[in-house]
Amino acid sequence: MSAGARVDLPQWFDQARFGAYQVRVVVLCFLVTTFDGFDTQAIAFTGPALAQALGVGPRGLAPIVTAGVAGMALGAVLFGPLGDRYGRRAAVLWATAVFGVFSLLTAFASSIEQLMVLRFLTGIGMGGAAPNVYTLASEFSPARHRGLVMLVAGLGLPVGAIVGGLIGGSVIPAWGWQGVFILGGVAPLLFLPLLWVLFPESPYYLARRDRQSALAAMLARVAPSAPPAADSVFTLPEAPTRVGAGALLSPALRHNTLAIWGTYFFNWVAWFGLVLWIPSVLTAAGLPKAQAGLATVTLNGAALVFMLPLAWLLPKLPVRRVILWLLVGAVVVSLLLAQAGSRWGLVFALVGLSGLFVGGPQIALNYLAVSIYPTAVRASGVGWAIGMGRVGTVVGGAAGGFVLEDFGPRGFFIALALPLLAAGLAALAVRRADASPR
């Protein structure tokens, strides 16, 4: 390392003004997750039309849903470590290319088997983008804004789902279910050249790799009115840590790693069981198919509205306690939905509350996961946590169809309460829940 004044990189970001360069980074992260969110939930709002075209019921759709979320689980655990080893930028670019290409190819599938393979491959890209986007956004942010920055970066997931739900009603009658996947593939592929030009590398990654000249040039763009001194050497306030999944289970990290994995897993069983099946559940309860997409819009729109103040407050709140109270509320809302029947005003109000109580722990868990892992394994830690969550989506996605077909809408909502209770128990085991990410 070259000689010069040593500067703690997180402290530099904490003291710097949050400027236009960082806003651009967050917007790019938001756009990546928007395309990701559209493609992730494409199978939900095309579900009724796809089932009709294939001549199957919820049980027949379950393997296609499961294949997609299985790919997401694999993508998260593959691309998180890749981001730690080779950079967040490369991982995000490759993940975006993967889910764009295979979403486009999904439109040309002609059998359940082809759909399963293509949704699995699309899922690898979708699962791979998220951990690196969250990690990179957090590493460009001062501690005082980190909760909000991570929320905005991840808001693309519900926004993409909302856009898909709103346009699906027009696209599917005109182009068939295939039109949704064409849009889901073409849009990120057209965006990819812009991402190649504008998307930066993580400053923490550059510091860990001792790429001081590249880091200094980047920080001069972050703070053009107060650039770092030419001889500054930026350091990270953490002991060297080996890279890779094995480090997550080292004695220092094992307890929190297992507790967070459990919380992600069970919360995502419930959340993705809900978002992937809510149109079909309400259709089975008597809601006209033409209005089924509004359930996706309501669920994700409410999550969007509720998560904004939540993310603003997260740095000031005991994060683990927030997660626990949200999960308690989620259990109550699920049991109320089981009793709501076809009173659609009440049903949609409760679906909206599910966006807060079932979906709210998502943003809090991402903040929590970033906070407990050092830079060298941060994308791996977030990636494996999200990967465990994606394993939960496999369970939720697969079980949702079987539970709906065998027990109906009321049984579906009662069953939803079980993984939410388990998520609460896992969250109780998390230590150092309110640490600030450094």
Side-chain angles (χ1 to χ4, degrees):
M1 182 177 287
S2 57
R6 299 176 70 84
V7 179
D8 180 276
L9 183 60
Q11 285 186 4
W12 187 91
F13 271 101
D14 286 347
Q15 294 167 5
R17 176 177 173 270
F18 192 86
Y21 188 88
Q22 290 148 293
V23 171
R24 189 185 84 183
V25 171
V26 176
V27 169
L28 290 171
C29 290
F30 167 80
L31 291 173
V32 171
T33 57
T34 298
F35 296 127
D36 189 341
F38 183 99
D39 281 338
T40 296
Q41 296 194 28
I43 197 67
F45 42 78
T46 60
L50 192 57
Q52 184 176 10
L54 296 172
V56 299
R59 191 185 296 266
L61 280 182
I64 302 171
V65 174
T66 302
V69 293
M72 294 178 206
L74 180 60
V77 300
L78 285 177
F79 277 82
L82 286 175
D84 284 331
R85 289 184 182 276
Y86 304 111
R88 325 301 192 209
R89 169 184 155 85
V92 170
L93 290 171
W94 275 107
T96 303
V98 168
F99 73 71
V101 167
F102 288 109
S103 178
L104 181 59
L105 292 176
T106 301
F108 301 96
S110 58
S111 68
I112 290 177
E113 293 75 19
Q114 290 177 6
L115 283 164
M116 288 174 61
V117 171
L118 289 168
R119 285 302 291 172
F120 176 78
L121 295 172
T122 305
I124 290 176
M126 293 186 295
N132 289 286
V133 163
Y134 290 137
T135 299
L136 184 134
S138 75
E139 292 176 344
F140 267 99
S141 173
R144 64 186 179 276
H145 296 320
R146 190 165 287 121
L148 185 62
V149 165
M150 290 185 65
L151 171 72
V152 173
L155 275 184
L157 293 172
V159 168
I162 291 167
V163 170
L166 290 174
I167 69 176
S170 301
V171 170
I172 293 172
W175 297 353
W177 61 266
Q178 295 91 339
V180 172
F181 292 103
I182 290 173
L183 289 176
V186 169
L189 292 177
L190 290 177
F191 175 63
L192 197 57
L194 182 66
L195 200 64
W196 176 272
V197 172
L198 297 179
F199 202 69
E201 186 51 85
S202 159
Y204 282 46
Y205 176 83
L206 294 176
R208 185 166 60 84
R209 293 288 180 170
D210 200 20
R211 292 165 56 181
Q212 293 292 327
S213 59
L215 178 58
M218 173 188 287
L219 297 182
R221 293 193 292 273
V222 170
S225 61
D231 64 345
S232 297
V233 174
F234 289 90
T235 61
L236 297 172
E238 56 190 41
T241 305
R242 72 180 190 272
V243 176
L248 306 179
L249 296 175
S250 64
L253 298 176
R254 184 185 302 126
H255 180 93
N256 272 347
T257 291
L258 294 176
I260 286 180
W261 284 1
T263 312
Y264 265 90
F265 174 83
F266 288 111
N267 182 229
W268 285 40
V269 168
W271 175 243
F272 273 85
L274 189 61
V275 299
L276 292 171
W277 288 105
I278 190 65
S280 299
V281 172
L282 298 191
T283 299
L287 185 71
K289 287 183 181 179
Q291 299 177 29
L294 294 177
T296 299
V297 174
T298 301
L299 181 64
N300 288 281
L304 185 65
V305 170
F306 286 128
M307 286 181 187
L308 281 168
L310 175 62
W312 179 262
L313 293 170
L314 270 179
K316 309 174 185 69
L317 296 174
V319 180
R320 189 188 69 156
R321 195 175 303 168
V322 169
I323 293 170
L324 289 170
W325 278 112
L326 288 172
L327 290 169
V328 169
V331 171
V332 173
V333 169
S334 298
L335 297 177
L336 290 174
L337 275 167
Q339 304 300 321
S342 57
R343 290 170 286 178
W344 299 122
L346 175 61
V347 168
F348 273 86
L350 291 170
V351 167
L353 287 175
S354 297
L356 169 63
F357 290 112
V358 186
Q362 304 279 309
I363 183 63
L365 279 169
N366 292 334
Y367 184 86
L368 181 59
V370 165
S371 76
I372 67 169
Y373 290 115
T375 300
V377 294
R378 186 167 290 157
S380 294
V382 176
W384 272 87
I386 291 176
M388 290 300 162
R390 295 299 190 184
V391 173
T393 69
V394 175
V395 176
F402 292 104
V403 171
L404 175 59
E405 191 157 303
D406 291 344
F407 299 101
R410 185 171 182 271
F412 179 93
F413 289 122
I414 291 173
L416 197 66
L418 299 178
L420 292 167
L421 285 170
L425 292 174
L428 278 172
V430 177
R431 297 171 182 163
R432 295 178 58 240
D434 306 315
S436 179
R438 298 298 292 167

